[in-house]
Amino acid sequence: MADKNGFFDLSKTTLSRRTALKGIAAGAGLALAPGFVRYSQAQSSAPIKIGFQSHRTGIGAAYGRWYEKTSAAAVKAINDAGGIGGRKVELVIEDDGTDPARGAEVVAKFAKQHKTDIVFGTLFSHVVIGSAPAAGENKIPYFVVSEGHHVASTKLNRYVFQPGITDVKSQIQSMAPWIAQNAGKKVTQIFPDFAFGYDHRDYLPPALKAQGADVIAQIAIPPTESSFTKYFPRIPAETEVIYHVMVGPAVLTFVKELGEFYGSQRPQLFGFMDSLEATDINSPGLEFLDGSHFWEGSPRYAQPDDSAAQKAYRAAVGIDDNGAAVGDPKDVSTASHMFGCWETLYVVKKAMEDAGYKGPEDRAKLVEATEALKEFAEGPEHPQGPKTFNGKIHQCFGIQNISKVEGGKLKVVHKTKIEDGLYEPEGDYTTQAL
């Protein structure tokens, strides 16, 4: 059941089989997917409880709402196909306010009060970093959908995983060749002044250097900033490409003010979709984005070559061909990121079933089973595309999309390959004690 803000609380919702079947438009395709089973003991077994750490408030609220919608859809699909090991899945939701300290409290609350089997869903990197120690201390597996390099850096702990979305280091490495060859050689970066932005700050310069291009300026902006014009005079005149990756509720203001500053005479623009997530690309003042390019994890707009799995996923989470909520064109999704919730829940399902997971006493077995995973094939469970998984660093690797703003829509013009984003591990979580 959704509240007035579009959030769901599945812990307070009873879904009949008919409701579940209705709730997933592509039910036939997903229910008949490999591994499909009916509930074997769901009527007598306690549910698998997943603690969903949601950014319901704070600067991550737009993401949190769509992460919640996507997770609700995935839970419906999983339960309709028999649950996890024959047990129904239940989401228990707590708001972390997109705040690191509160995030740690939420993780502890899931472990000690709600006694959930795992914690799942976190996006903003500073919240992940602030919450991870609580996961380790409480020995509760923590599956994040965050993008930052903080998990793969092996600087967190063995209980933290990012198996459903690629990290910034891999994304940048994949796309640097295209930027250098197609956009320009002299690049100015504009990024948010916190951990996620620092990944871009640290990994773009060497990736571009390897392609014969240079970052000539780096401009960090607080993620809570509400006006940006004062920062733009710091962009060097010789800049050929502005690489921007802003986040938070003021992203529309950022791109509007950037257009007002340059007018029709601007450098090439390459943006991470974070700068435009949950924002209508046809909003007044964004006309100057025409012809610019964006990174997308999963494309916002339906593409002519979309797979059957991608179409089924979009129908299940309730977004139309323009990436807005079905029936509400003003409610623009966070499509480039939220697919990671869907895919991560299916990774959890696979790992739990491989581990023969029975309850919290089997959390160590769940950690080891997740680390043993190697690859995820494209399909109903992984509609964004195929992925490999490195159990030593708890990170997946997949494809990236580069899209062009054209005719008020985003058209995918380049897809990277998995191998484009691979890098040598910086450590090994499996050497840590459980």
Side-chain angles (χ1 to χ4, degrees):
M1 183 177 294
D3 64 17
K4 64 180 181 180
N5 295 313
F7 288 105
F8 292 81
D9 188 345
L10 295 188
S11 66
K12 298 178 181 178
T13 302
T14 301
L15 296 175
S16 67
R17 179 169 297 279
R18 171 175 285 184
T19 301
L21 287 169
K22 282 185 176 180
I24 182 161
L30 290 165
L32 297 177
F36 171 74
V37 293
R38 294 289 177 186
Y39 285 114
S40 60
Q41 51 181 339
Q43 299 304 315
S44 58
S45 296
I48 299 258
K49 294 172 68 176
I50 294 178
F52 185 88
Q53 185 179 0
S54 180
H55 301 332
R56 280 190 161 181
T57 55
I59 62 172
Y63 288 92
R65 187 164 57 85
W66 278 99
Y67 267 39
E68 197 170 314
K69 286 185 177 183
T70 304
S71 299
V75 165
K76 287 181 182 180
I78 289 170
N79 283 339
D80 181 58
I84 294 177
R87 296 167 61 189
K88 190 173 183 178
V89 179
E90 175 184 297
L91 289 182
V92 180
I93 303 170
E94 290 280 353
D95 177 22
D96 65 15
T98 326
D99 176 78
R102 189 167 165 186
E105 293 172 356
V106 165
V107 171
K109 187 174 182 179
F110 281 135
K112 297 176 179 179
Q113 180 176 325
H114 294 300
K115 300 187 184 303
T116 62
D117 294 277
I118 65 169
V119 182
F120 158 77
T122 324
L123 167 64
F124 272 62
S125 57
H126 62 310
V127 181
V128 173
I129 292 169
S131 302
E137 291 162 9
N138 289 281
K139 297 186 180 299
I140 185 167
Y142 185 34
F143 292 84
V144 303
V145 189
S146 177
E147 276 193 300
H149 185 60
H150 34 273
V151 176
S153 70
T154 64
K155 294 178 181 178
L156 300 182
N157 63 71
R158 195 172 177 182
Y159 282 86
V160 187
F161 292 87
Q162 188 161 257
I165 191 168
T166 54
D167 72 308
V168 170
K169 183 176 181 178
S170 177
Q171 294 164 359
I172 287 173
Q173 184 174 302
S174 296
M175 291 178 289
W178 189 95
I179 295 171
Q181 294 166 18
N182 297 278
K185 304 289 188 183
K186 296 181 180 180
V187 181
T188 290
Q189 282 184 266
I190 302 177
F191 57 91
D193 193 9
F194 72 108
F196 171 68
Y198 302 156
D199 281 348
H200 288 266
R201 175 197 66 190
D202 295 343
Y203 297 116
L204 183 65
L208 285 177
K209 194 73 173 178
Q211 304 299 322
D214 291 296
V215 173
I216 61 174
Q218 295 182 314
I219 303 172
I221 300 178
T224 53
E225 186 65 87
S226 59
S227 182
F228 306 88
T229 304
K230 62 184 178 184
Y231 296 95
F232 299 146
R234 293 164 53 187
I235 301 172
E238 64 269 30
T239 297
E240 295 173 353
V241 184
I242 294 176
Y243 175 104
H244 59 99
V245 54
M246 294 306 297
V247 297
V251 289
L252 180 57
T253 302
F254 169 77
V255 287
K256 280 185 174 180
E257 290 184 354
L258 187 63
E260 292 168 357
F261 180 80
Y262 277 106
S264 60
Q265 302 298 316
R266 60 163 171 79
Q268 292 295 313
L269 299 175
F270 187 92
F272 261 52
M273 186 48 66
D274 308 68
S275 295
L276 212 63
E277 281 283 59
T279 301
D280 186 354
I281 203 167
N282 290 298
S283 299
L286 299 190
E287 297 82 4
F288 85 105
L289 289 175
D290 193 60
S292 69
H293 293 83
F294 283 89
W295 163 85
E296 295 188 276
S298 188
R300 175 185 298 184
Y301 288 83
Q303 303 294 313
D305 61 348
D306 277 349
S307 66
Q310 175 68 208
K311 292 176 181 177
Y313 158 76
R314 294 175 71 95
V317 300
I319 58 173
D320 63 20
D321 285 352
N322 294 322
V326 172
D328 186 357
K330 294 182 179 180
D331 187 5
V332 179
S333 72
T334 58
S336 187
H337 297 78
M338 68 194 201
F339 73 90
C341 294
W342 179 282
E343 298 203 11
T344 301
L345 283 170
Y346 275 103
V347 172
V348 170
K349 170 180 163 63
K350 168 67 174 169
M352 281 188 168
E353 292 175 346
D354 285 354
Y357 183 86
K358 298 293 191 296
E361 68 276 9
D362 289 333
R363 285 173 178 161
K365 291 170 63 176
L366 174 59
V367 167
E368 292 175 325
T370 307
E371 291 171 341
L373 298 173
K374 299 296 184 184
E375 59 184 11
F376 313 125
E378 181 176 7
E381 297 177 357
H382 299 279
Q384 189 266 352
K387 294 174 181 65
T388 61
F389 183 72
N390 188 323
K392 291 184 177 182
I393 61 174
H394 293 187
Q395 178 63 55
C396 75
F397 295 85
I399 64 168
Q400 314 300 335
N401 298 280
I402 294 176
S403 299
K404 184 179 182 179
V405 181
E406 200 171 68
K409 294 187 176 183
L410 285 155
K411 177 183 178 182
V412 175
V413 295
H414 179 71
K415 286 182 178 288
T416 69
K417 299 177 181 178
I418 292 177
E419 52 266 33
D420 295 338
L422 297 178
Y423 52 76
E424 288 297 315
E426 298 167 32
D428 185 352
Y429 282 122
T430 66
T431 64
Q432 298 180 8
L434 284 166

